[in-house]
Short mmCIF file of all heavy atoms in Angstrom, two decimals:
data_model
loop_
_atom_site.label_atom_id
_atom_site.label_comp_id
_atom_site.label_asym_id
_atom_site.label_seq_id
_atom_site.Cartn_x
_atom_site.Cartn_y
_atom_site.Cartn_z
N PHE A 1 59.96 246.46 89.97
CA PHE A 1 58.97 246.73 89.00
C PHE A 1 59.25 247.95 88.10
O PHE A 1 59.69 248.97 88.70
CB PHE A 1 57.52 246.93 89.76
CG PHE A 1 56.89 245.81 90.35
CD1 PHE A 1 55.80 246.00 91.00
CD2 PHE A 1 57.38 244.58 90.24
CE1 PHE A 1 55.01 244.94 91.59
CE2 PHE A 1 56.78 243.47 90.89
CZ PHE A 1 55.58 243.64 91.53
N ASP A 2 59.15 247.78 86.93
CA ASP A 2 59.25 248.86 85.98
C ASP A 2 57.86 249.47 85.89
O ASP A 2 57.05 248.97 85.12
CB ASP A 2 59.71 248.40 84.57
CG ASP A 2 59.84 249.47 83.62
OD1 ASP A 2 59.70 250.74 83.97
OD2 ASP A 2 60.04 249.28 82.45
N VAL A 3 57.67 250.57 86.58
CA VAL A 3 56.42 251.27 86.52
C VAL A 3 56.33 252.60 85.70
O VAL A 3 55.40 253.28 85.77
CB VAL A 3 55.83 251.60 88.02
CG1 VAL A 3 55.58 250.22 88.74
CG2 VAL A 3 56.78 252.48 88.73
N SER A 4 57.41 252.76 84.82
CA SER A 4 57.47 253.90 84.02
C SER A 4 56.32 254.28 83.19
O SER A 4 56.00 255.30 82.89
CB SER A 4 58.85 253.94 83.24
OG SER A 4 58.86 252.82 82.44
N GLY A 5 55.66 253.26 82.60
CA GLY A 5 54.52 253.40 81.67
C GLY A 5 53.12 253.28 82.37
O GLY A 5 52.20 253.34 81.75
N CYS A 6 53.10 253.25 83.71
CA CYS A 6 51.95 253.20 84.37
C CYS A 6 51.55 254.44 85.17
O CYS A 6 52.37 254.79 86.05
CB CYS A 6 51.98 251.93 85.50
SG CYS A 6 50.49 251.67 86.36
N ASN A 7 50.54 255.07 84.84
CA ASN A 7 50.10 256.36 85.49
C ASN A 7 49.57 256.09 86.83
O ASN A 7 49.91 256.73 87.74
CB ASN A 7 49.12 257.17 84.55
CG ASN A 7 49.95 257.54 83.33
OD1 ASN A 7 51.00 257.94 83.39
ND2 ASN A 7 49.06 257.67 82.32
N PHE A 8 48.59 255.16 86.89
CA PHE A 8 47.93 254.96 88.18
C PHE A 8 47.34 253.57 88.13
O PHE A 8 46.64 253.14 87.19
CB PHE A 8 46.80 255.99 88.47
CG PHE A 8 46.10 255.67 89.72
CD1 PHE A 8 46.68 255.97 90.90
CD2 PHE A 8 44.83 254.98 89.65
CE1 PHE A 8 45.85 255.67 92.10
CE2 PHE A 8 44.12 254.86 90.85
CZ PHE A 8 44.66 255.07 92.04
N LEU A 9 47.47 252.82 89.24
CA LEU A 9 46.97 251.45 89.42
C LEU A 9 46.74 251.20 90.94
O LEU A 9 47.68 251.38 91.65
CB LEU A 9 47.88 250.48 88.83
CG LEU A 9 47.56 248.91 88.78
CD1 LEU A 9 46.34 248.80 87.78
CD2 LEU A 9 48.70 248.24 88.22
N ALA A 10 45.53 250.79 91.24
CA ALA A 10 45.25 250.50 92.69
C ALA A 10 44.40 249.17 92.67
O ALA A 10 43.27 249.17 92.22
CB ALA A 10 44.45 251.64 93.28
N ILE A 11 45.02 248.17 93.25
CA ILE A 11 44.42 246.79 93.31
C ILE A 11 44.44 246.38 94.69
O ILE A 11 45.40 246.35 95.44
CB ILE A 11 45.18 245.92 92.41
CG1 ILE A 11 45.11 246.39 90.93
CG2 ILE A 11 44.59 244.54 92.53
CD1 ILE A 11 45.90 245.45 89.97
N ASN A 12 43.24 245.96 95.25
CA ASN A 12 43.13 245.20 96.43
C ASN A 12 43.37 243.73 96.16
O ASN A 12 43.03 243.21 95.13
CB ASN A 12 41.68 245.35 96.96
CG ASN A 12 41.43 246.59 97.67
OD1 ASN A 12 42.24 247.11 98.34
ND2 ASN A 12 40.23 247.14 97.53
N PHE A 13 44.08 243.12 97.04
CA PHE A 13 44.30 241.67 97.04
C PHE A 13 43.71 241.13 98.22
O PHE A 13 43.88 241.66 99.37
CB PHE A 13 45.79 241.35 96.88
CG PHE A 13 46.32 241.76 95.60
CD1 PHE A 13 46.77 243.10 95.47
CD2 PHE A 13 46.43 240.82 94.57
CE1 PHE A 13 47.36 243.35 94.26
CE2 PHE A 13 46.92 241.23 93.37
CZ PHE A 13 47.46 242.45 93.15
N ARG A 14 42.98 239.95 98.17
CA ARG A 14 42.45 239.23 99.29
C ARG A 14 42.98 237.86 99.28
O ARG A 14 42.63 237.07 98.38
CB ARG A 14 40.82 239.27 99.24
CG ARG A 14 40.18 238.46 100.19
CD ARG A 14 40.26 238.99 101.67
NE ARG A 14 39.27 238.31 102.41
CZ ARG A 14 39.46 237.21 103.13
NH1 ARG A 14 40.70 236.67 103.08
NH2 ARG A 14 38.63 236.75 103.96
N MET A 15 43.73 237.44 100.26
CA MET A 15 44.24 236.12 100.37
C MET A 15 43.15 235.31 101.15
O MET A 15 42.88 235.43 102.29
CB MET A 15 45.56 235.97 101.23
CG MET A 15 46.66 236.74 100.58
SD MET A 15 47.14 236.17 98.97
CE MET A 15 46.43 237.40 97.85
N THR A 16 42.44 234.53 100.36
CA THR A 16 41.16 233.88 100.83
C THR A 16 41.47 232.73 101.85
O THR A 16 40.54 232.39 102.56
CB THR A 16 40.45 233.08 99.68
OG1 THR A 16 41.23 232.26 98.94
CG2 THR A 16 39.94 234.32 98.68
N ASP A 17 42.68 232.27 101.92
CA ASP A 17 42.98 231.24 103.00
C ASP A 17 43.64 231.80 104.35
O ASP A 17 43.96 231.02 105.10
CB ASP A 17 43.95 230.19 102.43
CG ASP A 17 45.22 230.79 101.75
OD1 ASP A 17 45.22 232.03 101.65
OD2 ASP A 17 46.08 230.04 101.47
N ILE A 18 43.70 233.13 104.43
CA ILE A 18 43.97 233.72 105.74
C ILE A 18 42.76 233.99 106.51
O ILE A 18 41.87 234.83 106.15
CB ILE A 18 44.80 235.07 105.50
CG1 ILE A 18 46.15 234.75 104.73
CG2 ILE A 18 44.99 235.78 106.79
CD1 ILE A 18 47.02 235.92 104.49
N GLU A 19 42.61 233.34 107.59
CA GLU A 19 41.44 233.57 108.42
C GLU A 19 41.75 234.43 109.55
O GLU A 19 40.80 235.01 110.17
CB GLU A 19 41.04 232.12 109.04
CG GLU A 19 40.53 231.26 107.86
CD GLU A 19 40.12 229.87 108.37
OE1 GLU A 19 39.93 229.72 109.58
OE2 GLU A 19 39.95 229.02 107.58
N GLU A 20 43.01 234.62 110.00
CA GLU A 20 43.36 235.50 111.08
C GLU A 20 44.71 236.10 110.72
O GLU A 20 45.79 235.39 110.54
CB GLU A 20 43.45 234.78 112.43
CG GLU A 20 43.70 235.76 113.61
CD GLU A 20 43.56 234.92 114.91
OE1 GLU A 20 42.76 234.06 114.98
OE2 GLU A 20 44.27 235.40 115.78
N SER A 21 44.81 237.46 110.63
CA SER A 21 46.01 238.16 110.20
C SER A 21 46.83 238.40 111.49
O SER A 21 46.50 238.47 112.53
CB SER A 21 45.66 239.45 109.55
OG SER A 21 46.80 240.26 109.29
N ASP A 22 48.26 238.45 111.12
CA ASP A 22 49.16 238.81 112.19
C ASP A 22 49.28 240.29 112.24
O ASP A 22 50.28 240.81 113.05
CB ASP A 22 50.49 238.15 112.01
CG ASP A 22 51.17 238.46 110.72
OD1 ASP A 22 50.47 238.74 109.69
OD2 ASP A 22 52.46 238.55 110.73
N ILE A 23 48.67 241.15 111.59
CA ILE A 23 48.68 242.59 111.56
C ILE A 23 47.37 243.03 112.18
O ILE A 23 46.29 242.66 111.87
CB ILE A 23 48.78 243.06 110.13
CG1 ILE A 23 50.08 242.64 109.38
CG2 ILE A 23 48.68 244.56 110.13
CD1 ILE A 23 50.20 242.84 107.94
N ASP A 24 47.54 244.01 113.11
CA ASP A 24 46.46 244.47 113.89
C ASP A 24 45.97 245.82 113.38
O ASP A 24 46.50 246.84 113.77
CB ASP A 24 46.85 244.47 115.37
CG ASP A 24 45.69 244.93 116.31
OD1 ASP A 24 44.58 244.62 115.98
OD2 ASP A 24 45.95 245.40 117.39
N ASN A 25 44.96 245.76 112.64
CA ASN A 25 44.29 247.02 112.21
C ASN A 25 42.78 246.72 111.92
O ASN A 25 42.44 245.47 111.80
CB ASN A 25 44.91 247.76 111.02
CG ASN A 25 44.86 247.06 109.73
OD1 ASN A 25 43.77 246.45 109.42
ND2 ASN A 25 46.00 246.98 108.98
N ASP A 26 41.98 247.64 111.88
CA ASP A 26 40.55 247.42 111.63
C ASP A 26 40.23 246.65 110.44
O ASP A 26 39.37 245.83 110.31
CB ASP A 26 39.66 248.71 111.67
CG ASP A 26 39.59 249.38 113.06
OD1 ASP A 26 39.90 248.56 114.06
OD2 ASP A 26 39.42 250.54 113.02
N ASP A 27 40.99 246.98 109.24
CA ASP A 27 40.61 246.28 107.97
C ASP A 27 41.01 244.67 108.08
O ASP A 27 40.27 243.95 107.59
CB ASP A 27 41.42 246.92 106.86
CG ASP A 27 40.83 248.15 106.38
OD1 ASP A 27 39.82 248.62 106.81
OD2 ASP A 27 41.50 248.88 105.50
N GLN A 28 42.13 244.48 108.81
CA GLN A 28 42.43 243.08 109.03
C GLN A 28 41.48 242.33 109.90
O GLN A 28 41.18 241.02 109.80
CB GLN A 28 43.93 242.90 109.52
CG GLN A 28 44.92 243.30 108.52
CD GLN A 28 44.93 242.48 107.23
OE1 GLN A 28 44.70 241.34 107.29
NE2 GLN A 28 45.04 243.28 106.07
N LYS A 29 40.92 243.10 110.84
CA LYS A 29 39.89 242.37 111.62
C LYS A 29 38.65 242.10 110.93
O LYS A 29 38.12 241.08 111.22
CB LYS A 29 39.59 243.33 112.89
CG LYS A 29 40.70 243.45 113.92
CD LYS A 29 40.45 244.33 115.03
CE LYS A 29 41.74 244.49 115.95
NZ LYS A 29 41.55 245.56 116.88
N LYS A 30 38.21 242.98 110.06
CA LYS A 30 37.01 242.80 109.28
C LYS A 30 37.27 241.82 108.24
O LYS A 30 36.25 241.08 107.83
CB LYS A 30 36.55 244.15 108.71
CG LYS A 30 36.06 245.10 109.71
CD LYS A 30 35.75 246.39 109.03
CE LYS A 30 35.53 247.57 110.01
NZ LYS A 30 35.42 248.76 109.45
N GLU A 31 38.33 241.82 107.57
CA GLU A 31 38.62 241.13 106.31
C GLU A 31 40.12 240.62 106.30
O GLU A 31 40.95 241.21 105.64
CB GLU A 31 38.36 241.94 105.09
CG GLU A 31 38.25 241.23 103.79
CD GLU A 31 37.82 242.13 102.64
OE1 GLU A 31 37.70 243.38 102.82
OE2 GLU A 31 37.46 241.67 101.65
N PRO A 32 40.39 239.59 107.12
CA PRO A 32 41.78 239.14 107.14
C PRO A 32 42.48 238.77 105.83
O PRO A 32 41.76 238.24 105.02
CB PRO A 32 41.62 237.84 108.01
CG PRO A 32 40.49 237.95 108.74
CD PRO A 32 39.49 238.70 107.85
N GLY A 33 43.64 239.18 105.53
CA GLY A 33 44.33 238.84 104.28
C GLY A 33 44.17 239.89 103.28
O GLY A 33 44.60 239.65 102.12
N ILE A 34 43.54 241.04 103.59
CA ILE A 34 43.34 242.08 102.54
C ILE A 34 44.54 242.97 102.61
O ILE A 34 45.10 243.28 103.70
CB ILE A 34 42.02 242.88 102.88
CG1 ILE A 34 41.66 243.83 101.66
CG2 ILE A 34 42.08 243.82 104.08
CD1 ILE A 34 41.03 243.10 100.58
N PHE A 35 45.07 243.38 101.33
CA PHE A 35 46.03 244.45 101.29
C PHE A 35 45.96 245.05 99.93
O PHE A 35 45.26 244.58 99.13
CB PHE A 35 47.45 243.85 101.50
CG PHE A 35 47.94 242.82 100.42
CD1 PHE A 35 48.72 243.21 99.34
CD2 PHE A 35 47.50 241.48 100.54
CE1 PHE A 35 49.03 242.27 98.35
CE2 PHE A 35 47.99 240.54 99.53
CZ PHE A 35 48.71 240.90 98.63
N TYR A 36 46.56 246.18 99.66
CA TYR A 36 46.57 246.87 98.38
C TYR A 36 47.98 247.16 97.90
O TYR A 36 48.88 247.21 98.65
CB TYR A 36 45.73 248.07 98.27
CG TYR A 36 46.29 249.26 99.00
CD1 TYR A 36 47.25 250.10 98.44
CD2 TYR A 36 45.92 249.70 100.24
CE1 TYR A 36 47.76 251.15 99.10
CE2 TYR A 36 46.36 250.81 101.05
CZ TYR A 36 47.34 251.53 100.33
OH TYR A 36 47.90 252.67 100.90
N ILE A 37 48.02 247.18 96.53
CA ILE A 37 49.24 247.64 95.82
C ILE A 37 48.81 248.83 94.93
O ILE A 37 47.79 248.69 94.23
CB ILE A 37 49.85 246.48 94.97
CG1 ILE A 37 50.25 245.27 95.79
CG2 ILE A 37 50.93 247.04 94.06
CD1 ILE A 37 50.78 244.09 94.99
N GLU A 38 49.47 249.95 95.15
CA GLU A 38 49.12 251.06 94.42
C GLU A 38 50.30 251.58 93.64
O GLU A 38 51.51 251.57 94.24
CB GLU A 38 48.68 252.20 95.39
CG GLU A 38 48.44 253.55 94.58
CD GLU A 38 48.36 254.76 95.59
OE1 GLU A 38 49.35 255.00 96.37
OE2 GLU A 38 47.49 255.49 95.54
N VAL A 39 50.18 251.89 92.39
CA VAL A 39 51.21 252.46 91.56
C VAL A 39 50.78 253.87 91.21
O VAL A 39 49.79 254.13 90.59
CB VAL A 39 51.40 251.69 90.27
CG1 VAL A 39 52.54 252.35 89.42
CG2 VAL A 39 51.91 250.18 90.52
N LYS A 40 51.67 254.84 91.66
CA LYS A 40 51.24 256.24 91.48
C LYS A 40 52.49 257.05 91.55
O LYS A 40 53.46 256.96 92.32
CB LYS A 40 50.35 256.74 92.59
CG LYS A 40 49.70 258.13 92.40
CD LYS A 40 48.84 258.38 93.57
CE LYS A 40 48.37 259.80 93.51
NZ LYS A 40 47.47 260.19 94.64
N ASP A 41 52.60 257.99 90.48
CA ASP A 41 53.73 258.96 90.47
C ASP A 41 55.14 258.14 90.33
O ASP A 41 56.10 258.60 91.04
CB ASP A 41 53.79 259.84 91.64
CG ASP A 41 52.51 260.75 91.52
OD1 ASP A 41 52.04 261.01 90.50
OD2 ASP A 41 52.03 261.13 92.72
N GLY A 42 55.17 257.01 89.74
CA GLY A 42 56.39 256.30 89.61
C GLY A 42 56.81 255.45 90.83
O GLY A 42 57.89 255.09 90.88
N ARG A 43 55.91 255.35 91.73
CA ARG A 43 56.22 254.61 93.03
C ARG A 43 55.17 253.49 93.20
O ARG A 43 54.07 253.64 92.77
CB ARG A 43 56.21 255.55 94.17
CG ARG A 43 57.24 256.64 94.20
CD ARG A 43 57.31 257.40 95.42
NE ARG A 43 57.01 256.55 96.61
CZ ARG A 43 56.49 257.01 97.70
NH1 ARG A 43 56.12 258.15 97.98
NH2 ARG A 43 56.25 256.02 98.66
N VAL A 44 55.72 252.47 93.91
CA VAL A 44 54.77 251.34 94.31
C VAL A 44 54.58 251.45 95.81
O VAL A 44 55.61 251.40 96.60
CB VAL A 44 55.39 250.07 93.91
CG1 VAL A 44 54.46 248.83 94.32
CG2 VAL A 44 55.63 249.99 92.36
N ASP A 45 53.41 251.38 96.30
CA ASP A 45 53.07 251.38 97.77
C ASP A 45 52.14 250.16 98.03
O ASP A 45 51.25 249.86 97.21
CB ASP A 45 52.27 252.64 98.06
CG ASP A 45 52.06 252.81 99.65
OD1 ASP A 45 52.91 252.30 100.44
OD2 ASP A 45 50.98 253.36 99.95
N ILE A 46 52.67 249.42 99.06
CA ILE A 46 51.99 248.21 99.48
C ILE A 46 51.61 248.33 100.88
O ILE A 46 52.42 248.45 101.77
CB ILE A 46 52.85 246.95 99.24
CG1 ILE A 46 53.28 246.87 97.68
CG2 ILE A 46 52.09 245.60 99.70
CD1 ILE A 46 54.27 245.90 97.41
N GLN A 47 50.23 248.24 101.21
CA GLN A 47 49.82 248.38 102.56
C GLN A 47 48.73 247.37 103.10
O GLN A 47 48.04 246.91 102.14
CB GLN A 47 49.21 249.85 102.73
CG GLN A 47 50.19 250.85 102.49
CD GLN A 47 51.17 251.03 103.50
OE1 GLN A 47 51.12 250.61 104.64
NE2 GLN A 47 52.47 251.41 103.10
#
């Protein structure tokens, strides 16, 4: 990704067809398939 022109971007994504996640955390238990992509300080973080 060329993020040089992007100062800040934070987007949640929800995969609506995931009913049970293979990742064990509280957010996945409450809302399976949720994750975010953040662009900040020239870096991309996906969690």
Side-chain angles (χ1 to χ4, degrees):
F1 287 178
D2 176 10
V3 296
S4 58
C6 182
N7 292 327
F8 178 77
L9 183 64
I11 300 178
N12 281 322
F13 291 86
R14 170 76 166 87
M15 300 297 100
T16 59
D17 53 349
I18 294 180
E19 295 179 14
E20 188 173 323
S21 176
D22 65 322
I23 298 172
D24 186 24
N25 68 42
D26 287 342
D27 286 350
Q28 291 300 317
K29 289 176 185 172
K30 291 177 193 170
E31 197 172 7
I34 192 81
F35 64 93
Y36 73 79
I37 298 177
E38 176 194 54
V39 178
K40 184 178 178 183
D41 299 328
R43 294 188 39 207
V44 179
D45 188 26
I46 300 169
Q47 297 296 327

